[in-house]
Amino acid sequence: SPEHIDPRSVLQIHHLIMAIGSIVKGFPEAPKGSHPIILWVGILKQVTEIVLAVLKILNRYEIIRDAARYTFARLVSVLGTEILPYLPLLINELLTECGISELVDFLPFVGLLAHKFKLIIPLIDKVFQFLNQTPSGTDEALLLIDLRKAYLNFILGLLNNEMDAVFVSESNQPRLESILRSVIHYASDTSDIPSMKIAFSILSKTLTLWGDQYLTIGALYEHILRICFEVPFKPSFNVSDGQSLTVLNEISKILKIMLSQRGDDFLEYLRNVWTIWLLQPDLLDDFLRSLQQLELKAFQKYFQ
């Protein structure tokens, strides 16, 4: 019974799983997108099943989860598509018992899976589960801030590495709106400026990659534009702070991207919503003129 297992046995099992991972590291990687037809594949699939069986029994031990993650990261590279049937169970077992700090470390591993097999939804669900909870104290609040940054960096990393297809795959696209809404939420949270900057970078990148192709869902495009003007005018947003200036630069970039993509329609939209957003009417013409005529760096200076 896992409840009565000797801690020394758990440690020994951890060492054995880690040893397997170290051995697997010596095998060549599988050809991309194909099934490796090699003698050792059958043996490594048996190893995969054994590690999964151990993980299922002992997944409440963090050192076992760590060892399984270490070994699977190497098995994924060697087995290629042969490992696909095992991944849903693996991710489920690793996520079921993991804590906030462990999930921060787990994100890069799932980034590897996302790159190879477009598997991100179980991870996103677990991240949302933690981020939506009220912290029980200062330590947990700090852990949740770390998780927020790791989550946003995870998304930005996929976008920057030309893996945006992960988000719009058949299995993941139904969750795209909730992912983007979470990014918009963090982009408007002035209590965490570093995360805000990452969130605006994500929005800028999505506009560059997709235009408004996926942003018409749930009026996401309008929400992005709205926070571009809301954030700088929030009393809690300190425009003299260096990190806040990087946020303003990202916002400026977003506005220039929107102008390049929508042209006169974008300008007309701004004219219509300017007073609704309670912005000073006498600033409108000067702002629109600067937006159209200035290069990005000059406009960023103007926007500050």
Side-chain angles (χ1 to χ4, degrees), residues 11 27 32 52 130 142 163 168 183 187 197 204 241 262 281:
L11 187 60
F27 288 85
K32 188 174 181 180
L52 267 179
F130 279 127
L142 292 173
M163 290 188 276
V168 295
V183 174
K197 196 269 181 186
S204 171
D241 177 71
R262 287 198 168 186

Side-chain angles (χ1 to χ4, degrees), residues 70-291:
Y70 171 85
T71 298
F72 263 90
R74 283 140 189 83
L75 286 167
V76 164
S77 297
V78 175
L79 289 177
T81 54
E82 290 288 333
I83 206 168
L84 270 174
Y86 305 106
L87 290 180
L89 179 59
L90 168 71
I91 293 174
N92 180 65
E93 294 298 337
L94 289 174
L95 289 177
T96 299
E97 297 287 339
C98 82
I100 299 171
S101 60
E102 192 178 347
L103 189 55
V104 172
D105 296 330
F106 190 53
L107 281 159
F109 173 69
V110 178
L112 170 69
L113 301 184
H115 174 58
K116 286 183 172 288
F117 309 117
K118 298 181 172 53
L119 295 171
I120 62 169
I121 290 306
L123 172 75
I124 297 296
D125 287 345
K126 191 69 175 183
V127 169
F128 282 176
Q129 177 187 325
F130 279 127
L131 290 179
N132 289 332
Q133 73 184 28
T134 303
S136 58
T138 304
D139 289 346
E140 188 166 284
L142 292 173
L143 283 174
L144 288 172
I145 290 173
D146 287 341
L147 178 58
R148 179 193 302 184
K149 289 176 187 170
Y151 164 64
L152 293 171
N153 275 317
F154 168 72
I155 294 173
L156 185 60
L158 292 177
L159 295 173
N160 283 338
N161 288 289
E162 300 179 351
M163 290 188 276
D164 54 293
V166 167
F167 297 102
V168 295
S169 67
E170 185 178 350
S171 58
N172 295 333
Q173 190 171 340
R175 291 299 182 85
L176 181 59
E177 181 180 352
S178 60
I179 293 171
L180 289 173
R181 283 190 180 280
S182 73
V183 174
I184 291 170
H185 170 74
Y186 295 128
S188 59
D189 183 359
T190 56
S191 68
D192 183 3
I193 297 296
S195 292
M196 175 185 274
K197 196 269 181 186
I198 302 168
F200 271 113
S201 297
I202 291 170
L203 297 177
S204 171
K205 194 68 179 179
T206 56
L207 283 165
T208 301
L209 291 170
W210 302 331
D212 57 3
Q213 182 179 0
Y214 300 106
L215 301 178
T216 53
I217 311 165
L220 291 174
Y221 192 94
E222 287 73 15
H223 286 310
I224 294 171
L225 184 55
R226 175 179 50 77
I227 63 170
C228 285
F229 290 98
E230 275 187 1
V231 165
F233 289 99
K234 285 188 174 183
S236 53
F237 187 78
N238 182 7
V239 292
S240 62
D241 177 71
Q243 291 192 84
S244 297
L245 291 179
T246 64
V247 171
L248 291 177
N249 285 342
E250 288 297 327
I251 291 175
S252 303
K253 188 188 298 183
I254 287 173
L255 294 173
K256 292 291 279 186
I257 292 169
M258 287 180 163
L259 174 64
S260 68
Q261 292 176 345
R262 287 198 168 186
D264 290 341
D265 288 343
F266 176 65
L267 297 174
E268 187 59 33
Y269 182 80
L270 278 180
R271 287 191 182 94
N272 292 333
V273 298
W274 191 269
T275 52
I276 296 174
W277 290 341
L278 304 178
L279 300 171
Q280 297 178 31
D282 56 323
L283 294 178
L284 176 59
D285 290 338
D286 183 58
F287 175 81
L288 293 181
R289 184 166 52 251
S290 300
L291 178 61

Side-chain angles (χ1 to χ4, degrees), residues 38-47 79:
I38 305 171
L39 294 175
W40 57 71
V41 167
I43 296 171
L44 291 182
K45 286 173 72 174
Q46 290 179 30
V47 168
L79 289 177

